[in-house]
mmCIF file of all heavy atoms in Angstrom:
data_model
loop_
_atom_site.group_PDB
_atom_site.id
_atom_site.type_symbol
_atom_site.label_atom_id
_atom_site.label_comp_id
_atom_site.label_asym_id
_atom_site.label_seq_id
_atom_site.Cartn_x
_atom_site.Cartn_y
_atom_site.Cartn_z
ATOM 1 N N LEU A 96 -14.389 -18.693 85.329
ATOM 2 C CA LEU A 96 -13.013 -18.213 85.349
ATOM 3 C C LEU A 96 -12.151 -18.983 84.363
ATOM 4 O O LEU A 96 -11.264 -18.437 83.731
ATOM 5 C CB LEU A 96 -12.419 -18.385 86.757
ATOM 6 C CG LEU A 96 -12.714 -17.304 87.766
ATOM 7 C CD1 LEU A 96 -12.096 -17.669 89.104
ATOM 8 C CD2 LEU A 96 -12.142 -15.981 87.301
ATOM 9 N N PHE A 102 -12.780 -16.458 71.357
ATOM 10 C CA PHE A 102 -11.723 -15.966 70.485
ATOM 11 C C PHE A 102 -12.264 -15.469 69.149
ATOM 12 O O PHE A 102 -11.592 -14.799 68.417
ATOM 13 C CB PHE A 102 -10.692 -17.071 70.254
ATOM 14 C CG PHE A 102 -9.803 -17.280 71.436
ATOM 15 C CD1 PHE A 102 -9.716 -18.506 72.056
ATOM 16 C CD2 PHE A 102 -9.054 -16.236 71.936
ATOM 17 C CE1 PHE A 102 -8.882 -18.694 73.142
ATOM 18 C CE2 PHE A 102 -8.224 -16.415 73.025
ATOM 19 C CZ PHE A 102 -8.139 -17.645 73.628
ATOM 20 N N THR A 110 -8.575 -16.639 53.960
ATOM 21 C CA THR A 110 -7.512 -16.650 52.965
ATOM 22 C C THR A 110 -7.405 -18.071 52.411
ATOM 23 O O THR A 110 -8.093 -18.973 52.911
ATOM 24 C CB THR A 110 -6.161 -16.246 53.591
ATOM 25 O OG1 THR A 110 -5.829 -17.222 54.579
ATOM 26 C CG2 THR A 110 -6.229 -14.882 54.246
ATOM 27 N N GLU A 112 -5.123 -20.130 52.840
ATOM 28 C CA GLU A 112 -4.488 -21.044 53.807
ATOM 29 C C GLU A 112 -5.338 -21.250 55.059
ATOM 30 O O GLU A 112 -5.052 -22.146 55.843
ATOM 31 C CB GLU A 112 -3.129 -20.479 54.243
ATOM 32 C CG GLU A 112 -2.184 -20.120 53.124
ATOM 33 C CD GLU A 112 -1.452 -21.317 52.556
ATOM 34 O OE1 GLU A 112 -1.585 -22.407 53.116
ATOM 35 O OE2 GLU A 112 -0.767 -21.157 51.536
ATOM 36 N N GLU A 114 -8.154 -19.077 58.084
ATOM 37 C CA GLU A 114 -8.889 -17.888 58.506
ATOM 38 C C GLU A 114 -7.971 -16.934 59.276
ATOM 39 O O GLU A 114 -7.075 -17.393 59.994
ATOM 40 C CB GLU A 114 -10.045 -18.343 59.401
ATOM 41 C CG GLU A 114 -11.156 -17.339 59.524
ATOM 42 C CD GLU A 114 -12.304 -17.858 60.395
ATOM 43 O OE1 GLU A 114 -12.263 -19.025 60.817
ATOM 44 O OE2 GLU A 114 -13.215 -17.072 60.653
ATOM 45 N N LEU A 115 -8.199 -15.644 59.133
ATOM 46 C CA LEU A 115 -7.468 -14.653 59.938
ATOM 47 C C LEU A 115 -8.492 -13.922 60.789
ATOM 48 O O LEU A 115 -9.424 -13.314 60.254
ATOM 49 C CB LEU A 115 -6.715 -13.670 59.028
ATOM 50 C CG LEU A 115 -6.232 -12.365 59.672
ATOM 51 C CD1 LEU A 115 -5.226 -12.642 60.778
ATOM 52 C CD2 LEU A 115 -5.607 -11.451 58.647
ATOM 53 N N ILE A 116 -8.319 -14.024 62.101
ATOM 54 C CA ILE A 116 -9.256 -13.366 63.015
ATOM 55 C C ILE A 116 -8.497 -12.327 63.844
ATOM 56 O O ILE A 116 -7.534 -12.678 64.528
ATOM 57 C CB ILE A 116 -9.948 -14.393 63.935
ATOM 58 C CG1 ILE A 116 -10.733 -15.389 63.093
ATOM 59 C CG2 ILE A 116 -10.895 -13.709 64.920
ATOM 60 C CD1 ILE A 116 -10.540 -16.795 63.493
ATOM 61 N N SER A 118 -8.858 -9.886 66.916
ATOM 62 C CA SER A 118 -9.780 -9.665 68.043
ATOM 63 C C SER A 118 -10.104 -8.186 68.212
ATOM 64 O O SER A 118 -9.328 -7.315 67.809
ATOM 65 C CB SER A 118 -9.165 -10.213 69.331
ATOM 66 O OG SER A 118 -8.152 -9.356 69.773
ATOM 67 N N SER A 124 -6.600 -1.577 70.420
ATOM 68 C CA SER A 124 -5.225 -1.151 70.711
ATOM 69 C C SER A 124 -4.640 -0.389 69.535
ATOM 70 O O SER A 124 -3.966 0.628 69.717
ATOM 71 C CB SER A 124 -4.324 -2.356 70.981
ATOM 72 O OG SER A 124 -4.822 -3.107 72.017
ATOM 73 N N LYS A 128 -3.464 3.529 69.567
ATOM 74 C CA LYS A 128 -2.106 3.935 69.204
ATOM 75 C C LYS A 128 -2.130 4.985 68.092
ATOM 76 O O LYS A 128 -1.361 5.964 68.132
ATOM 77 C CB LYS A 128 -1.323 2.695 68.764
ATOM 78 C CG LYS A 128 0.132 2.938 68.505
ATOM 79 C CD LYS A 128 0.909 3.270 69.768
ATOM 80 C CE LYS A 128 2.345 3.640 69.444
ATOM 81 N NZ LYS A 128 3.084 4.104 70.603
ATOM 82 N N TYR A 178 -5.262 4.231 59.276
ATOM 83 C CA TYR A 178 -4.414 3.274 59.982
ATOM 84 C C TYR A 178 -4.979 1.854 59.916
ATOM 85 O O TYR A 178 -4.260 0.907 59.608
ATOM 86 C CB TYR A 178 -4.234 3.717 61.438
ATOM 87 C CG TYR A 178 -3.121 2.981 62.114
ATOM 88 C CD1 TYR A 178 -1.797 3.297 61.833
ATOM 89 C CD2 TYR A 178 -3.381 1.951 62.999
ATOM 90 C CE1 TYR A 178 -0.766 2.609 62.421
ATOM 91 C CE2 TYR A 178 -2.350 1.257 63.595
ATOM 92 C CZ TYR A 178 -1.041 1.590 63.308
ATOM 93 O OH TYR A 178 -0.026 0.890 63.884
ATOM 94 N N ILE A 182 -2.812 -0.926 57.970
ATOM 95 C CA ILE A 182 -2.089 -1.905 58.791
ATOM 96 C C ILE A 182 -2.826 -3.240 58.886
ATOM 97 O O ILE A 182 -2.222 -4.310 58.811
ATOM 98 C CB ILE A 182 -1.840 -1.326 60.204
ATOM 99 C CG1 ILE A 182 -0.727 -0.282 60.143
ATOM 100 C CG2 ILE A 182 -1.505 -2.383 61.220
ATOM 101 C CD1 ILE A 182 0.674 -0.828 59.918
ATOM 102 N N ALA A 183 -4.125 -3.184 59.084
ATOM 103 C CA ALA A 183 -4.858 -4.435 59.283
ATOM 104 C C ALA A 183 -5.727 -4.804 58.083
ATOM 105 O O ALA A 183 -6.328 -5.874 58.072
ATOM 106 C CB ALA A 183 -5.721 -4.327 60.537
ATOM 107 N N GLU A 184 -5.771 -3.931 57.103
ATOM 108 C CA GLU A 184 -6.607 -4.130 55.908
ATOM 109 C C GLU A 184 -8.059 -4.434 56.274
ATOM 110 O O GLU A 184 -8.712 -5.275 55.671
ATOM 111 C CB GLU A 184 -6.016 -5.210 55.002
ATOM 112 C CG GLU A 184 -4.748 -4.729 54.300
ATOM 113 C CD GLU A 184 -4.110 -5.771 53.390
ATOM 114 O OE1 GLU A 184 -4.768 -6.770 53.088
ATOM 115 O OE2 GLU A 184 -2.946 -5.567 53.006
ATOM 116 N N PHE B 70 -6.226 -17.737 79.669
ATOM 117 C CA PHE B 70 -6.235 -17.518 81.126
ATOM 118 C C PHE B 70 -5.560 -18.664 81.880
ATOM 119 O O PHE B 70 -4.663 -18.461 82.693
ATOM 120 C CB PHE B 70 -7.683 -17.337 81.598
ATOM 121 C CG PHE B 70 -7.795 -17.140 83.079
ATOM 122 C CD1 PHE B 70 -7.497 -15.911 83.643
ATOM 123 C CD2 PHE B 70 -8.188 -18.173 83.905
ATOM 124 C CE1 PHE B 70 -7.589 -15.724 85.006
ATOM 125 C CE2 PHE B 70 -8.292 -17.991 85.271
ATOM 126 C CZ PHE B 70 -7.998 -16.763 85.821
ATOM 127 N N TYR B 101 -2.881 -18.585 68.138
ATOM 128 C CA TYR B 101 -3.322 -17.396 68.876
ATOM 129 C C TYR B 101 -2.088 -16.563 69.209
ATOM 130 O O TYR B 101 -1.217 -17.031 69.938
ATOM 131 C CB TYR B 101 -4.044 -17.805 70.165
ATOM 132 C CG TYR B 101 -5.287 -18.613 69.895
ATOM 133 C CD1 TYR B 101 -5.239 -20.000 69.826
ATOM 134 C CD2 TYR B 101 -6.512 -17.997 69.685
ATOM 135 C CE1 TYR B 101 -6.375 -20.750 69.555
ATOM 136 C CE2 TYR B 101 -7.639 -18.724 69.419
ATOM 137 C CZ TYR B 101 -7.575 -20.104 69.355
ATOM 138 O OH TYR B 101 -8.697 -20.825 69.081
ATOM 139 N N TYR B 106 3.724 -3.859 67.349
ATOM 140 C CA TYR B 106 3.135 -2.662 66.773
ATOM 141 C C TYR B 106 3.898 -2.291 65.489
ATOM 142 O O TYR B 106 5.123 -2.295 65.467
ATOM 143 C CB TYR B 106 3.197 -1.503 67.770
ATOM 144 C CG TYR B 106 2.769 -0.198 67.167
ATOM 145 C CD1 TYR B 106 1.443 0.023 66.866
ATOM 146 C CD2 TYR B 106 3.690 0.789 66.869
ATOM 147 C CE1 TYR B 106 1.038 1.208 66.286
ATOM 148 C CE2 TYR B 106 3.298 1.974 66.296
ATOM 149 C CZ TYR B 106 1.972 2.179 66.006
ATOM 150 O OH TYR B 106 1.577 3.344 65.430
ATOM 151 N N ILE B 110 -0.652 -6.601 59.491
ATOM 152 C CA ILE B 110 -1.252 -7.835 60.006
ATOM 153 C C ILE B 110 -1.576 -8.872 58.919
ATOM 154 O O ILE B 110 -1.206 -10.040 59.078
ATOM 155 C CB ILE B 110 -2.467 -7.502 60.899
ATOM 156 C CG1 ILE B 110 -1.963 -6.786 62.153
ATOM 157 C CG2 ILE B 110 -3.245 -8.745 61.289
ATOM 158 C CD1 ILE B 110 -3.021 -6.199 63.028
ATOM 159 N N PRO B 111 -2.232 -8.513 57.819
ATOM 160 C CA PRO B 111 -2.544 -9.562 56.829
ATOM 161 C C PRO B 111 -1.294 -10.235 56.256
ATOM 162 O O PRO B 111 -1.281 -11.445 56.051
ATOM 163 C CB PRO B 111 -3.301 -8.799 55.740
ATOM 164 C CG PRO B 111 -3.845 -7.611 56.426
ATOM 165 C CD PRO B 111 -2.836 -7.234 57.439
ATOM 166 N N GLN B 118 0.864 -18.486 58.339
ATOM 167 C CA GLN B 118 0.170 -19.629 57.733
ATOM 168 C C GLN B 118 1.121 -20.435 56.846
ATOM 169 O O GLN B 118 1.160 -21.660 56.901
ATOM 170 C CB GLN B 118 -1.019 -19.128 56.909
ATOM 171 C CG GLN B 118 -2.163 -18.619 57.774
ATOM 172 C CD GLN B 118 -3.245 -17.938 56.970
ATOM 173 O OE1 GLN B 118 -2.982 -17.320 55.946
ATOM 174 N NE2 GLN B 118 -4.482 -18.029 57.439
ATOM 175 N N LYS B 122 2.365 -24.252 57.867
ATOM 176 C CA LYS B 122 1.974 -25.319 56.924
ATOM 177 C C LYS B 122 3.217 -26.047 56.395
ATOM 178 O O LYS B 122 3.278 -27.278 56.417
ATOM 179 C CB LYS B 122 1.176 -24.687 55.773
ATOM 180 C CG LYS B 122 0.512 -25.692 54.832
ATOM 181 C CD LYS B 122 -0.326 -24.961 53.807
ATOM 182 C CE LYS B 122 -0.713 -25.826 52.632
ATOM 183 N NZ LYS B 122 -1.620 -26.901 52.910
ATOM 184 N N VAL B 136 -4.721 -23.248 58.458
ATOM 185 C CA VAL B 136 -4.023 -22.615 59.588
ATOM 186 C C VAL B 136 -4.781 -21.326 59.881
ATOM 187 O O VAL B 136 -4.726 -20.380 59.111
ATOM 188 C CB VAL B 136 -2.544 -22.308 59.257
ATOM 189 C CG1 VAL B 136 -1.860 -21.656 60.455
ATOM 190 C CG2 VAL B 136 -1.796 -23.559 58.833
ATOM 191 N N ASN B 137 -5.534 -21.326 60.956
ATOM 192 C CA ASN B 137 -6.310 -20.134 61.324
ATOM 193 C C ASN B 137 -5.489 -19.267 62.281
ATOM 194 O O ASN B 137 -5.011 -19.753 63.301
ATOM 195 C CB ASN B 137 -7.631 -20.523 61.986
ATOM 196 C CG ASN B 137 -8.497 -21.337 61.057
ATOM 197 O OD1 ASN B 137 -8.455 -21.173 59.839
ATOM 198 N ND2 ASN B 137 -9.271 -22.252 61.611
ATOM 199 N N VAL B 138 -5.344 -18.020 61.928
ATOM 200 C CA VAL B 138 -4.535 -17.109 62.762
ATOM 201 C C VAL B 138 -5.469 -16.172 63.529
ATOM 202 O O VAL B 138 -6.316 -15.512 62.930
ATOM 203 C CB VAL B 138 -3.560 -16.294 61.879
ATOM 204 C CG1 VAL B 138 -2.735 -15.341 62.727
ATOM 205 C CG2 VAL B 138 -2.644 -17.227 61.095
ATOM 206 N N HIS B 139 -5.315 -16.160 64.843
ATOM 207 C CA HIS B 139 -6.138 -15.287 65.697
ATOM 208 C C HIS B 139 -5.228 -14.217 66.298
ATOM 209 O O HIS B 139 -4.357 -14.528 67.096
ATOM 210 C CB HIS B 139 -6.782 -16.084 66.829
ATOM 211 C CG HIS B 139 -7.590 -17.258 66.353
ATOM 212 N ND1 HIS B 139 -8.956 -17.292 66.431
ATOM 213 C CD2 HIS B 139 -7.221 -18.432 65.792
ATOM 214 C CE1 HIS B 139 -9.397 -18.446 65.937
ATOM 215 N NE2 HIS B 139 -8.359 -19.153 65.549
ATOM 216 N N ILE B 140 -5.424 -12.966 65.910
ATOM 217 C CA ILE B 140 -4.625 -11.876 66.483
ATOM 218 C C ILE B 140 -5.317 -11.436 67.769
ATOM 219 O O ILE B 140 -6.412 -10.892 67.741
ATOM 220 C CB ILE B 140 -4.494 -10.683 65.501
ATOM 221 C CG1 ILE B 140 -4.066 -11.156 64.101
ATOM 222 C CG2 ILE B 140 -3.557 -9.617 66.051
ATOM 223 C CD1 ILE B 140 -2.691 -11.697 63.965
ATOM 224 N N GLN B 141 -4.664 -11.677 68.894
ATOM 225 C CA GLN B 141 -5.282 -11.421 70.195
ATOM 226 C C GLN B 141 -4.912 -10.066 70.792
ATOM 227 O O GLN B 141 -5.551 -9.603 71.719
ATOM 228 C CB GLN B 141 -4.883 -12.516 71.187
ATOM 229 C CG GLN B 141 -5.365 -13.896 70.804
ATOM 230 C CD GLN B 141 -6.866 -13.972 70.791
ATOM 231 O OE1 GLN B 141 -7.471 -14.010 69.743
ATOM 232 N NE2 GLN B 141 -7.489 -13.960 71.935
ATOM 233 N N ASP B 148 8.130 -0.589 70.534
ATOM 234 C CA ASP B 148 7.973 0.739 69.962
ATOM 235 C C ASP B 148 8.340 1.814 70.973
ATOM 236 O O ASP B 148 9.059 2.760 70.672
ATOM 237 C CB ASP B 148 6.511 0.900 69.521
ATOM 238 C CG ASP B 148 6.272 2.219 68.839
ATOM 239 O OD1 ASP B 148 6.953 2.469 67.847
ATOM 240 O OD2 ASP B 148 5.417 2.974 69.306
#
Side-chain angles (χ1 to χ4, degrees):
Chain A
L96 277 178
F102 284 122
T110 63
E112 307 280 353
E114 200 178 355
L115 164 63
I116 299 134
S118 75
S124 303
K128 186 68 185 174
Y178 194 75
I182 285 288
E184 288 180 14
Chain B
F70 179 78
Y101 298 91
Y106 172 72
I110 293 171
Q118 288 171 328
K122 189 176 165 67
V136 180
N137 299 329
V138 179
H139 305 250
I140 311 292
Q141 297 296 106
D148 183 57

